[in-house]
Amino acid sequence: MGTWDYSIFWKETVNQLKSELSEQEYTMWFNMEYETSGEQSLVVSVPSGFYRDQVKQRYQGRIEEKLFELSGHHITVDFEIKQRARHEAAADSTAQGTAQSSSNAPEDRAKKTASSNSIQASSRAAEQKERGNHPLLREDYTFDNFVIGENNSFAANAALAIAKNPGTAYNPCLIYGGVGLGKTHLMQAIGNLAWKEKGCKIIYITAENFTNEFVESIKNNKTTDFKNKYRNADMLLIDDIHFLQKKIETQEELFHTFNALYDAKKQIMFTCDRPVSELKNLSERLRSRFERGLNVDLQPPSYETRCAILSKKIELRGISIPTEVLNLIAKNVSSNVRDLEASLTKLIAYAELTKKPVTLETAQQQLRDVFGAPKQNNVTIETIQKVVADYFSLSYTDLKSKKRTKAISFPRQLAMYIAREITEYSTTELGMEFGGRDHTTVMHGCQKIEERLKAEPSLETTIQKLNKMIKDYNS
Ligand code: ADP
Ligand code: MG
């Protein structure tokens, strides 16, 4: 630190690349911030490992070439991972980069960043006041509040690019992934940013409400209004499209809405709880529309990302909780972010009620249920087995037994299939729960059901019925 400062060359390099790359590419990848310089090198920070690898592969050579042209030195670029709230366009971050790099003392830098952030924040707040919050979007679902980790950085960067360049960056775009992994948050973050910066007309709606509204409009002879409303949007965000399975008429309507918006180069975006290829009862032409453009997935967060998310959440709530407690939660709750947050909320509520600080001990005590519960999923294998056994008038013990008569093996396979679909258990764990069988037996069982489903569509109805009974079992 101290003697070398290549920040000016960095800034110019970024400027030049900005004019050479497409806006989309630039917005997507140039979220790097200048950190420090060494004798023959400079360090920039990037938000994740995934991001680093991509940027290295795509741009490191080009960046270093430019640095050489500009400075006459062979300066190598090192990438450092730094989780930060990334919200602004790369253009803003380069401007900030210069402000920061005019001094190399770390404290100075920290102070400057803090003050420039708060200036930005207050001017942003002023703008927001003018425009107001979008009535259909949660104001806290922003990019600022979204922690980027290796599990979601591709989706998050794509989302940011879309918010910056609606209709051109990635159109359409579909984000898929399991429950509570941040699909809705990211989708609304796009809406919030585009609303504030682009001032475009944004409609956010769940597929369920879209369906309800459509049905209502038919009932009231108002389908023209319905069509106009959706076909006039600049950005249409439809959440949880898996809900559209079997909704034939709504699918048809959405297909036409899609075409109208797509032809007019309006941004369309969907989320789904699984890859589109796994949706059933969906018209082929709508499926092909969903698959057009960019499909990206969200994965469960790693331990480090879970820790970072927890710190972010307590920072947002303006409270402090010992790091060791956060680490404990992150270690024990891994399936999704919603559960992670729920654990935190439970602890905070407890602390407020008892007026005691949260310690490792109270956390362990209070969260025993959460930690002990299998996979934070409220459906147990036992419930599934009981419901299925009941449905086929078998005993629960028979279903789990080693007996292999046809009358028992089909319901057993069906129970395995359903468990595989609606819980997070692995085939190995399921095997254990089904009378200590091998995981290959479970896989074989599920395959059998899949084959039968193809030949016998009515089985699907049975499965739906069972799913509902399982869901209702506890209530
Ligand atoms: P999904 O729509 O995929 O079921 P949500 O978007 O509703 O999930 O996310 C569940 C909760 O987890 C929300 O409160 C959201 O803010 C939070 N969350 C998910 N991912 C992140 C993340 N990367 N950073 C911060 N919060 C997150
Ligand atoms: Mg959601």
Side-chain angles (χ1 to χ4, degrees), residues 37-234:
S37 304
E39 188 175 355
Q40 299 281 344
S41 63
L42 64 81
V43 180
V44 295
S45 63
V46 293
S48 69
F50 170 84
Y51 195 95
R52 177 199 55 207
D53 298 343
Q54 292 289 318
V55 167
K56 260 183 132 159
Q57 187 198 341
R58 286 164 197 254
Y59 305 109
Q60 186 165 23
R62 221 161 139 183
I63 292 173
E64 288 175 354
E65 238 168 65
K66 285 238 179 284
L67 286 169
F68 178 68
E69 276 169 29
L70 292 164
S71 69
H73 294 285
H74 288 285
I75 303 170
T76 52
V77 181
D78 293 319
F79 300 91
E80 170 189 296
I81 299 169
K82 197 171 178 187
Q83 254 159 12
R84 52 187 141 96
R86 283 187 324 105
H87 39 84
E88 301 308 320
D92 296 350
S93 71
T94 44
Q96 234 178 306
T98 9
Q100 284 172 24
S101 54
S102 58
S103 157
N104 271 332
E107 299 92 275
D108 270 21
R109 238 173 40 182
K111 266 187 232 145
K112 279 198 181 159
T113 318
S115 69
S116 82
N117 277 349
S118 63
I119 292 166
Q120 274 188 353
S122 60
S123 67
R124 229 180 305 138
E127 259 172 49
Q128 197 169 319
K129 223 176 193 169
E130 264 167 45
R131 182 114 217 240
N133 291 315
H134 190 286
L136 304 171
L137 300 171
R138 266 184 66 158
E139 58 179 307
D140 59 333
Y141 281 176
T142 59
F143 285 107
D144 278 353
N145 296 349
F146 193 82
V147 174
I148 298 189
E150 66 305 314
N151 60 312
N152 60 24
S153 71
F154 191 58
N157 282 305
L160 190 65
I162 290 171
K164 294 276 173 191
N165 302 286
T168 49
Y170 299 103
N171 200 26
C173 173
L174 182 137
I175 296 181
Y176 66 90
V179 197
L181 293 182
K183 299 183 294 294
T184 299
H185 187 138
L186 264 187
M187 181 178 243
Q188 296 208 10
I190 296 176
N192 273 316
L193 191 62
W195 170 254
K196 261 151 223 170
E197 292 192 354
K198 308 271 162 193
C200 51
K201 200 149 92 200
I202 295 164
I203 299 183
Y204 165 86
I205 192 161
T206 61
E208 183 171 4
N209 285 338
F210 183 83
T211 306
N212 294 342
E213 232 181 77
F214 180 57
V215 172
E216 262 319 279
S217 80
I218 296 176
K219 219 166 74 190
N220 302 326
N221 272 325
K222 292 232 159 92
T223 49
T224 316
D225 290 354
F226 180 89
K227 286 185 209 303
N228 286 341
K229 171 176 167 190
Y230 287 96
R231 291 175 199 185
N232 280 329
D234 295 317

